[in-house]
Amino acid sequence: MQREQKSNSYLLGAVLIMVYLYYRATFEQNFYALPNILANLLQSQPLSGLFAMFTFQYGEQTISIGALGYFGFLGFFGSKIWSFLIYFLLAYLWYGGLAGKLRDAFTPSTVALLLSVSYAAADEFHQSLVSPAFAMKEDVILAGSGAILAVIAGWFFLTARKGRK
């Protein structure tokens, strides 16, 4: 009974994250809010010399301090880290919820990955329709990386926990 309730809690958490992601993509976001917050916290611009060495392409956008400014550069990484973590959590919750309901190890991991990566692709498509953001395959790959790592971590922790009991 307790295992069933825990499994249901994981699944509810996954659905709530999906609702959050849908809500976040539906409305125009203030992409400059994080850099403004960072500007207030990091007025001395620590590590700017180190960050100035990095320039790369993300989709069709050049990512560098010269192109985005110091706080835009940090804001870019903050938003990508948040995306990675939210899809990590989404896949982990799907895996945890499904592993509590299914006996084999392969099905929950496969379904959790498919649900998470499919939702990331659908979310990017949805963003392209309703917000000024562009749908980017790089964001789906980033979300998929978070999902893969989450399923590996979930399998490890759930298997290790079962092995100790």
Side-chain angles (χ1 to χ4, degrees):
M1 182 69 175
Q2 185 180 9
R3 180 179 174 168
E4 185 73 22
Q5 287 176 335
K6 189 173 184 179
S7 178
N8 289 340
S9 296
Y10 279 130
L11 295 175
L12 177 63
V15 170
L16 288 174
I17 287 176
M18 292 171 75
V19 168
Y20 160 76
L21 289 168
Y22 180 82
Y23 177 79
R24 186 187 73 170
T26 300
F27 299 100
E28 184 174 333
Q29 299 170 31
N30 184 358
F31 291 104
Y32 300 102
L34 185 57
N36 290 338
I37 293 168
L38 291 174
N40 292 331
L41 295 174
L42 304 172
Q43 292 175 353
S44 65
Q45 298 184 0
L47 303 175
S48 59
L50 176 67
F51 295 151
M53 297 185 325
F54 296 103
T55 300
F56 60 94
Q57 290 292 119
Y58 190 84
E60 296 178 8
Q61 183 181 15
T62 299
I63 307 300
S64 68
I65 287 184
L68 300 174
Y70 179 80
F71 299 109
F73 184 78
L74 292 181
F76 169 80
F77 280 103
S79 68
K80 298 310 170 191
I81 289 168
W82 177 251
S83 179
F84 179 88
L85 291 175
I86 201 75
Y87 279 98
F88 177 94
L89 184 58
L90 177 65
Y92 187 83
L93 290 172
W94 275 123
Y95 180 78
L98 294 170
K101 295 189 176 296
L102 304 171
R103 295 287 179 220
D104 67 339
F106 180 73
T107 304
S109 59
T110 304
V111 172
L113 279 174
L114 287 174
L115 285 171
S116 299
V117 174
S118 297
Y119 194 78
D123 183 50
E124 287 299 312
F125 178 72
H126 178 238
Q127 284 180 27
S128 72
L129 297 176
V130 299
S131 74
F134 298 104
M136 298 179 70
K137 66 182 177 293
E138 290 84 356
D139 287 343
V140 176
I141 292 168
L142 181 68
S145 300
I148 289 169
L149 188 59
V151 169
I152 292 169
W155 177 82
F156 178 75
F157 289 123
L158 292 174
T159 302
R161 195 174 338 143
K162 285 180 185 176
R164 280 186 260 148
K165 288 184 179 180

